[in-house]
Amino acid sequence: MNVKFKMPNFGRKLTGGSMVKELLMTTLATTISILLTFGTAAVLEHKQQAKNRRQITLMVISDIYDFVRVMERADTAMLIPWKKSLLEMKTMPRDSIIMLDDEEVLQNYWNALGQGAMLPRDHTAQNLFSSDISIWRDVDNYNFVKFVGKCYYLIEALNNNFDTEIRRKTDNYQLFLKDVDHIPDSLQLVSFLEMPEVKSFIEEYTLNFIPYFEATIKELGDAVEQSCELMGVSREELEEFMKKNSQ
């Protein structure tokens, strides 16, 4: 008896054409999967860069704006009153100063001549912006980077000039008061005003430094406005960022 064995059918029979077709379909599916993976990653990276750009922009503008406000407070609380007192002492007849019996006015005059001060400054944002080239790349706006560089130059120059003037003032004051353990009287004030160093300081301070300080306030304030416009930042967004990061 002849027995014929039939091979089992394990699936459809693949011809040459169908094998090529299936290979192409597999390759296409793999390619699409790769494109989707890398495409999604690129989209996420782009979104992260945009978020970084916004955060960096807000951080830098708010840093400059915060310093402007510090300067404005210093100008209102110290520099304007000091300037007023210095100008009064500069023009007032010496006999009138000697006859002063108003202790508050006398104290204001001595404060204008000898009181120290400082401009609080946090350099974190400036150092980060100045030292990390990747931040410049993330910002991706050359005009803004250049503009911010100019603002930080103005801030550093102002700080240096402010420190110099305050140091001159306190050095003169300490030189005169080195042997005095109390607030001098009006006669001593006249003697102090006759010192060449003090005369020079009053001239420099009232004629040059105060106008320079106030002009820098205005220039940096305008720079904040221009930076916001350049980067599409609203005043409300800036204020909200500063409020959030001051807590």
Side-chain angles (χ1 to χ4, degrees), residues 76-211:
T76 301
M78 297 182 300
L79 302 189
I80 291 177
W82 287 349
K83 180 181 178 181
K84 178 177 180 293
S85 293
L86 290 172
L87 289 174
E88 286 177 1
M89 286 185 283
K90 180 180 175 181
T91 58
M92 187 183 296
R94 294 300 177 247
D95 289 345
S96 297
I97 296 179
I98 292 174
M99 297 299 293
L100 268 177
D101 59 0
D102 189 324
E103 291 187 4
E104 183 178 352
V105 173
L106 189 60
Q107 181 67 63
N108 289 339
Y109 285 173
W110 281 113
N111 288 342
L113 287 165
Q115 192 175 60
M118 62 178 295
L119 296 176
R121 183 87 180 100
D122 181 355
H123 289 82
T124 303
Q126 179 178 350
N127 291 340
L128 187 64
F129 188 83
S130 301
S131 62
D132 193 342
I133 193 67
S134 65
I135 288 180
W136 297 14
R137 185 183 63 247
D138 283 342
V139 170
D140 194 29
N141 189 317
Y142 174 74
N143 288 329
F144 178 69
V145 171
K146 183 173 67 172
F147 203 56
V148 169
K150 177 185 176 183
C151 288
Y152 281 134
Y153 171 79
L154 289 173
I155 288 172
E156 288 305 304
L158 179 71
N159 263 323
N160 292 335
N161 282 312
F162 187 85
D163 289 345
T164 298
E165 291 305 313
I166 294 300
R167 193 177 303 113
R168 285 181 62 203
K169 175 197 281 195
T170 53
D171 285 350
N172 291 337
Y173 193 67
Q174 292 303 320
L175 178 65
F176 184 79
L177 299 180
K178 61 182 180 180
D179 297 321
V180 179
D181 58 4
H182 62 279
I183 294 297
D185 58 26
S186 56
L187 184 58
Q188 289 170 311
L189 174 59
V190 170
S191 298
F192 188 48
L193 292 172
E194 293 305 313
M195 292 175 62
E197 299 92 335
V198 177
K199 287 183 177 181
S200 173
F201 165 76
I202 292 176
E203 288 292 327
E204 176 67 26
Y205 197 83
T206 56
L207 296 181
N208 296 322
F209 177 69
I210 295 293

Side-chain angles (χ1 to χ4, degrees), residues 75 79-80 83 209-219:
D75 193 42
L79 302 189
I80 291 177
K83 180 181 178 181
F209 177 69
I210 295 293
Y212 158 74
F213 188 91
E214 293 172 344
T216 304
I217 292 178
K218 184 178 186 309
E219 189 168 358

